[in-house]
Amino acid sequence: MFTVRKALAATAIGALSIVPLAACSSDEASDTTDAATSSESSAMETTESTPEPAAEVENLTGVDTAVALDAGFTGALTTLGLTPGVVGTATLADGSIRFPITGGDVKYWEPGTVDPYVQGEINHDGSGLSLTAGDTVVELINFDIDPGTSLLTGDVMVNGEEAAADAVLFDLDGRTLQPLATGPNDTAILQGTEVKISETAAGLLNSTFNTDAVTPGLLVGVATITINTAS
């Protein structure tokens, strides 16, 4: 059964790609708060320990992160003469590329109690995306998602040689994230996070393929994260 605790745990994963926004209040009363009260509250905040997370997934076991490739991205690849492919355990079918989740951990706090309120990492070791032009093959592999920064890092290989390690490859924008949905076999599904080419990845691709056409912020596609919630 998909329990409330499991739902919270899944929400923790989904929150990884939400861009945290500072809350702003227009309540006039907050502008006239007694100075002594503010001082007392500040003192309490500095002495209190970090609260317990609302949900925690200590060992992620799957299943995958899928990206439905955007037509603008695939069109740009065609224009550049680049052919997309998969590396390792990744799969590409029906316009979507899937990267199995291989491990990691996530902690989730109620927004406003801890900053950042989502912390941890989601690993996708042994898989990746390849881009090929002639005899040149670039592989973007071993993706790690950092929930606290909304960044996806990974390694870059060019013709089998390491060109970069733990580089920021994609920026994640979760403002279009859809509500949590349940899936079969004790899974939870979150869909809608936009995946965009980072400045670092754009520079690497441009220099490797001798072009300036790969622009930072180019929309790669929309991600669907499916996680195993079974204990």
Side-chain angles (χ1 to χ4, degrees):
M1 179 177 294
F2 190 67
T3 64
V4 172
R5 180 171 180 78
K6 290 176 180 177
L8 284 173
T11 303
I13 305 299
L16 65 91
S17 54
I18 300 175
V19 179
L21 300 176
C24 299
S25 173
S26 60
D27 190 345
E28 294 182 0
S30 64
D31 296 331
T32 58
T33 301
D34 183 81
T37 301
S38 297
S39 178
E40 181 180 359
S41 298
S42 298
M44 290 178 63
E45 290 174 0
T46 57
T47 57
E48 288 180 351
S49 60
T50 302
E52 290 294 319
E56 180 176 1
V57 183
E58 295 183 349
N59 295 294
L60 298 177
T61 59
V63 276
D64 60 30
T65 297
V67 179
L69 299 177
D70 184 75
F73 175 69
T74 55
L77 295 183
T78 299
T79 299
L80 293 171
L82 302 179
T83 301
V86 296
V87 180
T89 56
T91 59
L92 177 60
D94 300 324
S96 289
I97 187 167
R98 295 178 178 273
F99 310 100
I101 295 173
T102 58
D105 65 275
V106 169
K107 292 181 180 179
Y108 171 79
W109 287 267
E110 291 297 331
T113 59
V114 173
D115 184 23
Y117 59 84
V118 184
Q119 301 176 22
E121 64 177 351
I122 301 176
N123 310 130
H124 306 77
D125 296 333
S127 65
L129 168 70
S130 68
L131 297 173
T132 303
D135 295 330
T136 302
V137 180
V138 173
E139 296 177 337
L140 310 177
I141 58 176
N142 300 328
F143 298 150
D144 287 339
I145 295 174
D146 185 329
T149 61
S150 293
L151 298 176
L152 189 155
T153 60
D155 304 326
V156 181
M157 306 291 289
V158 178
N159 292 335
E161 299 291 331
E162 184 178 274
D166 296 323
V168 177
L169 302 179
F170 302 103
D171 298 317
L172 306 176
D173 186 348
R175 287 174 293 183
T176 55
L177 187 67
Q178 298 177 13
L180 176 70
T182 58
N185 303 318
D186 293 317
T187 58
I189 301 171
L190 283 140
Q191 184 178 27
T193 298
E194 293 185 341
V195 180
K196 301 178 180 180
I197 291 285
S198 72
E199 183 174 359
T200 299
L204 285 167
L205 293 173
N206 282 331
S207 61
T208 301
F209 292 111
N210 193 29
T211 181
D212 59 3
V214 183
T215 58
L218 174 65
L219 179 63
V220 175
V222 178
T224 298
I225 301 173
T226 304
I227 63 169
N228 180 20
T229 64
S231 58

